[in-house]
Amino acid sequence: MGLISLTTFFPVLGIVIILFISKKNLLAIKMVSIVFSFVPLVIASYMWLHYKYPMTGIDLESQFQFVEHFAWIPAFHIDYFVGLDGLSFPMFWLTTLLSFISLVASWNISKAQKGYFALFLLLETSMLGVFVSLDFFLFYVFWELMLLPMYFLIGIWGGPRREYAAIKFFLYTLAGSVLMLLVMLALYFNVKDPVTGSHTFNMLHMMHKSNQSAWLTTFDVRLWLYIALFIGFAIKVPIFPFHTWLPDAHVEAPTAVSVILAGILLKMGTYGLLRISYPIFPDIAKYTSYALAIFGVINILYGAFVAMAQKDLKKMVAYSSVSHMGFVLLGMAVFTTAGINGAVFQMFSHGLITAMLFLLVGVIYDRAHHREIAGFGGLGVRMPVYMGIASLAFFAAMGLPGMTGFIAEVMVFIGAFSVYRVLTIIAAFGIVITAAYMLWTMQRVFLGKLNPKYEHITDINGRELFTLIPLGALTIFFGIYPLPVLNMIKVPLNYLITLIH
Amino acid sequence: MIQLPSFLIISAIVFTLGIFTILYKKNAVGILMGVELILNSVNLNFIAFAKYVDVGINGQLVAIFIIILAASEAAIALAIILSLYRERATIDVTLVDEMKD
Amino acid sequence: MIQIALFIWLLPLAAFVINIFIGKRLPRKGDWVSIAAIGASLVLSSILLFRVITGYNPDFSLHASLHWINLGGFKLDMGFYIDNLAVIMVTMVSLVSFLIHVYSIGYMDGDPLYNRFYAYLSLFSFSMLGLVLWDNLFGIYMMWELVGICSYLLIGFYFTKDSAANAGKKAFIVNRIGDFGFLIGLLVVFNFLGTFNLIDIQQDIGRGLLSGGWLTAAGILLFAGAVGKSAQFPLHVWLPDAMEGPTPVSALIHAATMVAAGVYLMARLSFMLSFDAMMVVAFIGGFTALFAATIAITQNDIKRVLAYSTISQLGYMIMAMGVGAYTAGFFHLITHAMFKAGLFLGSGSVIHAVSHSMKKIGMEGDPNDIRNMGGFKNKMPITHWTFVIYALAISGIPFFSGFLSKDAILGGTLAFAMSQSNPVYYLLPIFGFVAAIITAFYMFRLIIKTFYGKPQLKKLYEHVHESPLTMTVPMMTLAFLCLYFIYTLPSLGPVGAENGWLMHLIQKPFSAVAVQLGRPVYGITPQAEHFAHVNGLIISIVFALTGIVLAFAFYFWKTINVEKFTEKIKPLYTLSLNKYYFDEIYGATFVKGLLVWNQILAWFDQNVIDGLVNLAGRVMRVFSVFDGLFDQYVVDGLVNAVADITLGFGRGIRKIQTGQIQNYILGALLGMVLIIILTMI
Amino acid sequence: MSNLNSLQYFIPELFLIVAILVIIVVDLFLKKNKKIVSAYLAALTLVVTIFLAYQQYGYSPALLFKGMIVLDSFAIFFKIITALSTLIVIFISLPSFRTKAEYYVLLLIVTLGMFLMVEVNNLLMIIISMEMVGLISYVLVGFNKHDLKSSEASLKFMLYGATSTAVMAFGFSYIYGISGHLNLDVIQQSLIINQPQALPLFVAFMMVLAGLGYKIAMVPFHFWVPDVYEGAPTPITAFLSVGPKAAGLALLIRFLITLVAHPSAGNAANFIQNVSIHAPLLLAALAVATMTLGNLSALMQKNIKRMLGYSAIAHVGYMLMALVVFNNQGIIAVMFYIVVYLFMNFGAFCVVESLTDKLGSEKISAYTGLGYRAPFTAIAMAIFMFSLTGLPPFAGFIGKLYLFAAVINQSWYILALIGLLNSVISLYYYATVVKVMFLNRQENAPPLRVALYNKLLIGALLIPTLVLGLYWSPVINFTSRSIGFLFGK
């Protein structure tokens, strides 16, 4: 068993163990799940140390690392084919990190803990699976598998309107993924394995024009397939106007689930576009790039404006995610080195930052039992440490230099400006709006006179700090020294750009 | 000389009568009679075709089998109707609508 | 030297890290860490300055950089570019910063967030020094943002006060608007030149890679950043509010250093300003100089007067950059840093005294209000005398630094106007000279109202006393640095600093634009320059004295009745007192507009986007045969759009399942017939 | 093949007949409290029958009894499936039908009828075998004599079934008239050679389709389904949703081969008989109607059996979708789907059967908080529901995958898209069950004890549902081999 499989399926082992633990033995359940999510993080970090930077990945199996490839269902030409390249590795690592942190942050889950932790581990496995899969079928299975634990995690452990949010999330994403299924099958029947001559689900084979059938090379067909696939991914991102599931899901989901939702799940949409849509349909990607850029700009501004109007702290953060994902889209749409690298770096960066933000919301929700922004006020007096970390996170989200968000956003702007000047200028105005709503929110929560209701509120505790500090530290570390990530992503992404041009 | 179309027309009429019986009789047994009418029209067809199209006894055989089937069907149907009658004291099918959306 | 610069830069960062994490547990709450760090930076930068002065080479420069990001098609290098400008600026920053660190020991004594205050100060010093030292626009932009954040944090330091929190937010957001322009400017530059490095940019522009309209645009966009940071019209509104921060912060950030960053940026970029861009710069600067001065006259908050004064003085500098009086502008930056920091420290000293006194007598009130003061000169001699020196300096009285620099600027603008054919350019010197009178007037109004005359509140006056040594020593140091000879050395002539070390070391860089055009952008003839200098000198002395005399006439001798006079010019007075209603206008238009717009979008999001297909569902309902059923329709937990329709259909379709067996049979038969008919057509 | 020679290929059926008689006789000698033995005997019979049927697997296709019966691997596959479904039903029924030997005997007789249905080659045999299944089914549905719903369901089923069969027989009479033959293979040849008139043939075709459509619950011949499913005893509902349906599908495929096109023709063809009807389009329309109507109607159901009834209609729609392309791939997909469907659908019904007595209701709302009262059963139910929706990694997904693959491979994209969107709709009602079980919680509800026997049975059905979702190579290979048609020459 290779390292990837080990990492991916290690949490499943944890599930098995948890199932055998009595549901009364809470400590054991929690510890097992934390340990079984920590080990993947260790393995993934170890893999990072052994990562070979110059390998391009994208469409050649030989350029992938840690590859495991063997037949799974020969009759349908489905392979168990996993591997990592610079595009997937940061997300892979981030997933292990955020899963671990989320599980630590789930310590206070108050009901049906056994189910919660088991489902969470299942979620981790499915997310990792999405990022490592190079076989479309495998990818799809993991992609869908993710929905089940998510549905339950939101639906059982969520807030008051959890049922609504959970089913909405479920239906929305399923609607998107059935389109993906359609495209997957269409591709399957129109792509030949160059060696055996049979149909194949191998993504990498799909990317080579020589393997595609004549039908698949006609423009209209490609366009429609691309659009169908795009909608599938767009719902996940979420791209305006498919975003309405997101605020609901976030508001109702428990803190740790929000972290995963915003930190990882949203990235899957853009990851899918980069991993699948772009290399398979480079011409269409280019053809539709202007539309994508416009979507990006709409996301940036629309998300920011709507975020500003929110009264619920978590909803505000959720819409800020919509806004920040817009940067990813804009960067992806321009096919310049700076743009696309900035986009992927933004995926990584936003994963860290938004995770912090949601954890912070969780901290305060645990104490105040509400998230009404107007209902706080002056908390900085009683919670100085919390305010400090929250400031860091908010500044990071505002794109303050010295943190990852800044580099990513500026790279996106630089990359985009050379292609779409006006759009970029419009998008750049988002930084003003972002600053406005972030600071306004901070002010309403922390600054001003202390709301007498919270005279006795306690500051952040050690466990919560334990979840936040690594993220904060990484945000700053990669904000100052982004090379470890950038060096990893640049090779495949630059190669991807050459494919598209 | 009676030709094939005559048989077919007769049988079609019987078939139609059967359908209308099924649709308009309130009495379950009446509906069953409608079914029997249809089966008889089927028999008529088979026999006619056996005579005019397929020279052999295939059609006749089918007719005999269908008569037998109709008999057994009637037996079971009457049993069911009887059972229903015991429970509800009616065999008016329009009153049997406890289950619906 | 690069290593020294590196230390200068990083030491405050180290202090910040130490203080933010463990400062609270250190002895004296860690103030010594920050002071030691900035002190060391000061020493190191003095070494640099010493080397530069001894080198005495106007073209001295050092550059070192390394790859920060290298993606193949996209590179970002980071490095230091050290020339005379940077060295002098670094020395100034670390000096003022050091003094203010020391001053804060006394001023911030006993504050519950004492350690955090020092941490922020260190972070600010770090960012500001970085801003000065970086060799590329991108790095400058990063540090630019960082100083903005420090400013935000420090303005909102007393965050339990709503006004402070608001001011911090306002400062940051208004700055962000300027930064938005800055960012776009960066993008333009990078788009055309593929580099952010200042040296490369200069060379590339010289080669004509960026020219014409785009060059002008780039210049103006980058200037937008300066407009925000240096609080120029129309983005000046944040600086007066920023006075909510502790006074040392006002002195350091909002008088001496950060707000001057805009000027510094213009100095750095002077080579890439086309003529049109320069005119935008010059007119905005000149207008701001006058405009802010007129507001300063009527303000009653001691710090607000100084804030508007700062805006006005920054306007001078910006104007100087605009007309190409690069050296003069930078010179004024340095002298202004000294006297304005001093003024703020002095005002801080007064406020400190007043608020302590207020606390003692249990009085509620605004310690900043000069209407409560008066006659403090006896109680606070050191504060008084240093304050007078600063005021003389800012008013442009000979033998003080301000005279030299302001005169250089005014002379420069005059010379520029003379060398242009269009008389509209005479507006610039007129702005400057009128502002000079007003400056002298409001400064002395302030002094008279604070230190002279009868105490307005006897009881308050009783308890006022001089500040401790940690506060007065920095003030005295700064006062010393306002003396003229510091800047004219090695010569001692009091009328001009042309032969002084500073103006020697800071000479106008080779303009890339000029090279590109093959000719000077504007030709200031030596004759014009000489004429302007001499005349400017005379006019500015006369105007400054006029201003002072007027102030005495109004407020000391009371030869002119202030009340009556203000009555006469009531509309103007009200306008000035209310700062021309800029806050109100912005509030009513942009802020309100934005909030309303957000509400609209949020409503749109909830009702339109989410309900779009929902709506479609309702429309379908109208046309639906099963209308009656839909009426009882309740969206059962699922507002989801598609579901609305599908569930609706679901309800409708159920109607055919009547429970009547004959209906079923009929349905099947009709279905069959229907299929036959449909397929046979 | 002559009648005597045929007998050696007719062993499973013969064994079944003998066993039925034996059990009837044995039952007479059993004491009242020992009646359960006949149930065991019935189960044993089925196991042996399956074994015997499997033994026939190697035979080359042959016509038996002078062409009345055809023995090919396709038929054997369906024989095994139908026998298996009966076997499972017997297991599901054991707890509630402990004293009724005749119940098991009737089930065996239905099985015999289904065996015949899947291997007929003769119009008369079709009528006879379908009546055999139908008549016994009416009785089984009404088996709970004193249950009003049960007898009502029985009556409706009987009237509807009798009418449908009669109409179908009328259609057969025309086909006989047009072709002059009764055996399907000969009819096919005759139709190819003689090129008869389109209209009568098509009307006859539709009439037959009405009869077959009633059997497999195809729209618009599905009306009986909800009422009968709701009224019938739960095991019988389960049985109707799988066994006869599978047999009906097999019969439909055979009939379509006769009248429409042979799968070896590759892409689905028009009517061979020069009828200007685009048969695939017709089937596609029926498929879409069936699945959409099934799904939409299921959305609002309160009764779980009724909901599953509609869901069963929807699943027929999915399977019809693959018949649209009517090539080997499509038929394999349908066969594979039936296997998968067998497990997950029986699983769901098995859960319903296990809980109905305990909860005293078949209402979905009665399942509230079940996840906390009977975790294993509830989790199993959730898996069956998600599998029925077609979510990976459960077997239902793989089944659907093959169906959609077959459709997409022939470029029926719109059809596939409609099918996929239908899956999304179906998620809503399946997830409602899950939601009620897990997301809603009854305060202070005591744990619900589900008998170990039921748990084991559910577990036994759960395993294939899970395993086939991850590794289905053996089954797909099995089905691929079973596509050997007699008419493959």
Side-chain angles (χ1 to χ4, degrees), chain C residues 323-335:
Chain C
V323 297
Y326 165 89
T327 316
F330 183 70
F331 186 20
H332 196 59
L333 192 165
I334 300 291
T335 58

Side-chain angles (χ1 to χ4, degrees), chain A residues 72 137 144 155-156 163 189 215, chain D residues 392 401 405 409 413 439-440 470:
Chain A
W72 174 18
F137 184 83
E144 292 279 277
I156 299 180
E163 292 169 22
F189 288 115
W215 180 79
Chain D
L401 182 79
N409 196 16
Y413 285 98
L439 273 51
N440 302 353
L470 293 173

Side-chain angles (χ1 to χ4, degrees), chain C residues 1-21:
Chain C
M1 278 179 94
I2 296 290
Q3 288 88 333
I4 295 178
L6 202 60
F7 275 108
I8 293 175
W9 180 51
L10 289 178
L11 277 170
L13 178 66
F16 163 71
V17 173
I18 293 172
N19 262 341
I20 197 82
F21 286 116

Side-chain angles (χ1 to χ4, degrees), chain A residues 187-206:
Chain A
L187 285 170
Y188 170 77
F189 288 115
N190 287 288
V191 172
K192 272 208 294 288
D193 187 321
V195 183
T196 62
S198 57
H199 295 313
T200 178
F201 278 114
N202 187 324
M203 280 184 207
L204 310 188
H205 290 326
M206 291 175 179

Side-chain angles (χ1 to χ4, degrees), chain A residues 5-269:
Chain A
S5 299
L6 189 64
T7 318
T8 307
F9 293 106
F10 204 79
V12 174
L13 204 61
I15 300 174
V16 174
I17 293 177
I18 285 177
L19 291 182
F20 285 103
I21 301 175
S22 151
K23 94 180 152 195
K24 298 275 180 314
N25 196 348
L26 290 184
L27 186 70
I29 291 175
K30 288 172 187 169
M31 286 318 293
V32 166
S33 59
I34 288 172
V35 167
F36 275 83
S37 64
F38 183 64
V39 173
L41 175 61
V42 172
I43 305 174
S45 306
Y46 169 82
M47 284 160 78
W48 197 334
L49 295 178
H50 291 263
Y51 186 84
K52 297 188 201 64
Y53 285 87
M55 288 167 79
T56 55
I58 303 292
D59 68 349
L60 282 176
E61 190 176 339
S62 58
Q63 291 295 324
F64 277 87
Q65 307 184 36
F66 313 105
V67 172
E68 293 164 47
H69 192 174
F70 40 84
W72 174 18
I73 307 291
F76 214 3
H77 313 109
I78 298 170
D79 293 346
Y80 179 80
F81 180 21
V82 294
L84 285 166
D85 66 353
L87 175 58
S88 48
F89 195 90
M91 300 319 298
F92 177 73
W93 187 81
L94 187 69
T95 307
T96 58
L97 174 74
L98 289 188
S99 300
F100 169 64
I101 284 178
S102 305
L103 278 165
V104 176
S106 307
W107 196 268
N108 285 342
I109 287 297
S110 58
K111 60 176 180 183
Q113 292 88 347
K114 195 166 159 177
Y116 179 89
F117 285 97
L119 285 168
F120 216 107
L121 289 171
L122 182 63
L123 183 65
E124 179 176 4
T125 290
S126 53
M127 290 186 301
L128 290 172
V130 168
F131 287 123
V132 298
S133 300
L134 294 176
D135 184 278
F136 207 149
F137 184 83
L138 192 63
F139 178 90
Y140 186 81
V141 168
F142 279 124
W143 178 277
E144 292 279 277
L145 179 59
M146 207 164 55
L147 297 182
L148 297 177
M150 211 63 195
Y151 170 73
F152 287 111
L153 286 171
I154 295 174
I156 299 180
W157 291 274
R161 288 170 74 232
R162 55 179 186 266
E163 292 169 22
Y164 168 71
I167 193 71
K168 191 171 180 181
F169 165 79
F170 207 165
L171 284 172
Y172 248 106
T173 27
L174 188 70
S177 49
V178 293
L179 289 173
M180 200 199 304
L181 179 69
L182 189 72
V183 177
M184 176 176 90
L185 289 170
L187 285 170
Y188 170 77
F189 288 115
N190 287 288
V191 172
K192 272 208 294 288
D193 187 321
V195 183
T196 62
S198 57
H199 295 313
T200 178
F201 278 114
N202 187 324
M203 280 184 207
L204 310 188
H205 290 326
M206 291 175 179
M207 294 172 194
H208 294 282
K209 265 228 152 84
S210 53
N211 299 337
Q212 297 171 352
S213 73
W215 180 79
L216 194 56
T217 50
T218 47
F219 179 81
D220 285 353
V221 168
R222 291 173 75 81
L223 184 64
W224 281 110
L225 290 182
Y226 184 85
I227 290 173
L229 201 53
F230 178 80
I231 293 174
F233 291 131
I235 288 174
K236 233 352 174 259
V237 173
I239 295 174
F240 175 95
F242 301 116
H243 65 281
T244 51
W245 63 268
L246 179 106
D248 287 310
H250 269 308
V251 168
E252 302 307 327
T255 301
V257 177
S258 288
V259 169
I260 292 294
L261 197 57
I264 308 293
L265 259 67
L266 304 193
K267 313 299 176 295
M268 286 181 180

Side-chain angles (χ1 to χ4, degrees), chain C residues 262-328:
Chain C
V263 182
Y264 178 76
L265 181 75
M266 285 297 106
R268 271 285 190 228
L269 296 176
S270 60
F271 60 78
M272 66 175 288
L273 295 178
S274 67
F275 185 76
D276 293 337
M278 290 184 89
M279 283 311 100
V280 172
V281 174
F283 273 92
I284 286 187
F287 179 72
T288 309
L290 179 61
F291 164 82
T294 58
I295 300 177
I297 301 177
T298 55
Q299 299 304 308
N300 286 319
D301 182 314
I302 184 167
K303 284 176 76 181
R304 274 180 191 264
V305 175
L306 294 177
Y308 281 105
S309 160
T310 307
I311 296 173
S312 168
Q313 296 299 311
L314 289 165
Y316 270 117
M317 300 176 217
I318 294 285
M319 177 169 69
M321 293 301 164
V323 297
Y326 165 89
T327 316

